[in-house]
Amino acid sequence: VAALNAGHTAPEPGARRPALVFIGFMGAGKTAAAAAAREAGIEAIEADELLEGELGMSIAAFFGRRGEEEFRSLEAAEVAELLERAEGGVIALGGGAGCSERVQRALARHVVVWLEVSAEEAWRRVEGSDRPLARDRHRFEVLHAEREPVYAQLADAAVPSGDRETVSRALPALRALLDLPPGTRMTWARSESGEYPVYVGNGILPAGRWPVEGRRFCVTDATVGRLYAGLVEPLAGSVDVEPGERAKTLAQVERVLRELARLGMSRDDHLVALGGGVVGDLAGFCASTYQRGVRVVQVPTTLLAQVDSAYGGKTGVDLPEAKNYVGAYHLPSAVLADTAILATLPREEVAAGWVEVVKTALIAGGGLWRRVRTMERPDPAALGDVIEAAGDYRRYRHGEAVGLGLLAALRLSGADELRAEVAELLHREGLPTALDPAVETEAVLEAIERDKKRSGDAVRFVLLERPGEPVPGQRVEPEAVRAAVAELVSAERARAG
Ligand SMILES: NC(=O)c1ccc[n+]([C@@H]2O[C@H](COP(=O)([O-])OP(=O)(O)OC[C@H]3O[C@@H](n4cnc5c(N)ncnc54)[C@H](O)[C@@H]3O)[C@@H](O)[C@H]2O)c1
């Protein structure tokens, strides 16, 4: 969460209205974005078109005659001026424009939208065109790798590059950013089963910009409801459950569904899941089944939920036999992660969420991992779920169990140094780095047997040798698994003794 805070700056009173500015690599679809905006009745300017008008020739021709350097300095001056003058509307920039410092300064007051495209896809789109920087594939890829971090740094919002329709669908959610507090970030999350906006920011709930139409019915836990239900009003009805994992049962699902029916919730209404991962999973599951499915807006209130569980549409509840054994995939219609809400989160819950940050950073590698490993304080779990199950899943918080799972996974990966470094990161936050001896090694191994990731006679693991390079689907010898779990138990014995 702390890593997501570049953001546009607050407008001065009486200042010009900010524009939505699209940036991204060649072939990312900036022209299509401008077209989508025009279709929606918004004035849109393409910087490259404007420049070609000024130059009196195509950019490719100018490159050929005068070279890149001269082009860049003209481009920087023109684009910066365009941005300084801009008053609302949409502007699409050329791929290199964002690299100039003057342009970067001028971008600060606007809402910057990065159209993300992989080097491979971009090449497929521009190969054989007259673009001067798209002639040599290797150079093209190097340039892509250089520019992506620049775009990421400048962006308030990220949209995976697609066709014009993608931007059309995302446009209302992007424009909402203009009314949200400066520093708010938006990602257009997309998977095969659907897409939805994710907002992360400080104070976004009080801004009162609700992402979907219709009446709202809230599901929350008693603690969170008392503190924050006022921030998601107006509500047509609300149902409280008790705080903690004990609420994730089929009995509570029935209670919530019947309460919603009694309150008169219909298919056009939607649910608001206001709480941590427990409420998100329970309310999401209720939304997936109530009248065969209604929309849900996830409003995560714990670090764990804001970093992990609110996304991706995994919903469900526990059975006495096993955790998360009944569920459904049901994508949220939107996620609103207001980081201001974390201020009241108890310290142990912050620590449990921190584990998810470490896990995510290990999988992502690169800048995020560098940031996490050097972060003073926190403002690939293969064994996490199963350790949680073996420990009768109330002994450890989900995040704590994920931390132990990470250590075991790094042992299985043979990444000893990285394991020691991660153990230190966890230990610093008061998180367990050893397994309570009351959790028997045998019980963990049995739980692995039952695990849903089971395939044939071997369990498959996500291993990781270096940050940023997770390797999924790896078979591991049962003996190695036993040793990795036993090591966690003996570390505890050693500490206790
Ligand atoms: N669906 C997924 O993809 C996914 C991923 C990871 C974890 N999970 C699930 O998430 C659950 C754990 O979630 P969790 O760690 O958020 O626990 P939680 O939902 O139980 O919340 C922890 C505690 O913090 C309190 N709380 C929440 N927000 C608060 C706030 N802002 N201020 C003060 N108190 C607050 C709650 O009342 C609760 O007592 C587990 O059931 C796990 O299975 C799901």
Side-chain angles (χ1 to χ4, degrees), residues 145-417:
E146 274 168 21
R147 286 199 182 155
E148 291 294 286
V150 178
Y151 301 140
Q153 185 70 34
L154 293 170
D156 297 295
V159 176
S161 148
D163 43 20
R164 186 194 300 193
E165 283 70 39
T166 309
V167 177
S168 296
R169 288 190 302 271
L171 207 52
L174 289 167
R175 299 193 81 205
L177 271 176
L178 297 165
D179 303 326
L180 286 169
T184 302
R185 306 285 303 251
M186 191 277 239
T187 301
W188 187 250
R190 190 167 71 188
S191 73
E192 278 181 13
S193 44
E195 49 191 3
Y196 56 95
V198 173
Y199 295 93
V200 180
N202 193 315
I204 55 183
L205 289 174
R209 201 68 164 71
W210 199 254
V212 302
E213 305 273 313
R215 292 195 304 167
R216 307 169 203 169
F217 289 78
C218 182
V219 177
T220 185
D221 77 32
T223 306
V224 177
R226 190 164 36 77
L227 290 167
Y228 298 115
L231 290 180
V232 295
E233 281 175 352
L235 292 172
S238 187
V239 186
D240 280 10
V241 296
E242 71 173 303
E245 188 74 23
R246 277 203 302 274
K248 258 179 72 171
T249 63
L250 282 171
Q252 289 304 309
V253 171
E254 180 176 4
R255 212 197 106 226
V256 171
L257 293 175
R258 292 183 62 183
E259 196 65 20
L260 294 173
R262 207 183 54 75
L263 290 166
M265 184 181 183
S266 75
R267 279 191 58 79
D268 298 331
D269 305 326
H270 63 275
L271 273 188
V272 180
L274 175 69
V278 165
V279 165
D281 282 9
L282 171 72
F285 186 60
C286 290
S288 79
T289 48
Y290 187 75
Q291 296 188 1
R292 299 202 184 86
V294 293
R295 293 166 301 162
V296 60
V297 173
Q298 292 281 352
V299 183
T301 66
T302 61
L303 180 56
L304 177 128
Q306 293 196 351
V307 170
D308 185 37
S309 67
Y311 315 99
K314 273 200 275 173
T315 75
V317 294
D318 305 331
L319 291 182
E321 285 73 18
K323 208 176 129 54
N324 293 329
Y325 244 46
V326 179
Y329 283 98
H330 190 62
L331 285 183
S333 294
V335 179
L336 300 177
D338 189 335
T339 54
I341 277 182
L342 300 178
T344 52
L345 197 61
R347 170 132 192 76
E348 318 82 74
E349 300 297 344
V350 175
W354 169 242
V355 175
E356 293 293 345
V357 176
V358 172
K359 181 182 97 176
T360 306
L362 279 169
I363 295 174
L368 185 58
W369 169 242
R370 275 197 298 282
R371 213 169 153 143
V372 164
R373 73 194 296 204
T374 55
M375 218 179 245
E376 293 231 334
R377 289 231 80 96
D379 217 354
L383 297 173
D385 289 342
V386 293
I387 286 177
E388 212 174 21
D392 136 60
Y393 57 84
R394 279 179 196 95
R395 197 183 309 274
Y396 295 106
R397 288 180 173 78
H398 177 88
E400 293 173 346
V402 171
L404 291 164
L406 264 182
L407 295 179
L410 289 168
R411 164 65 62 239
L412 292 176
S413 309
D416 298 355
E417 257 180 51

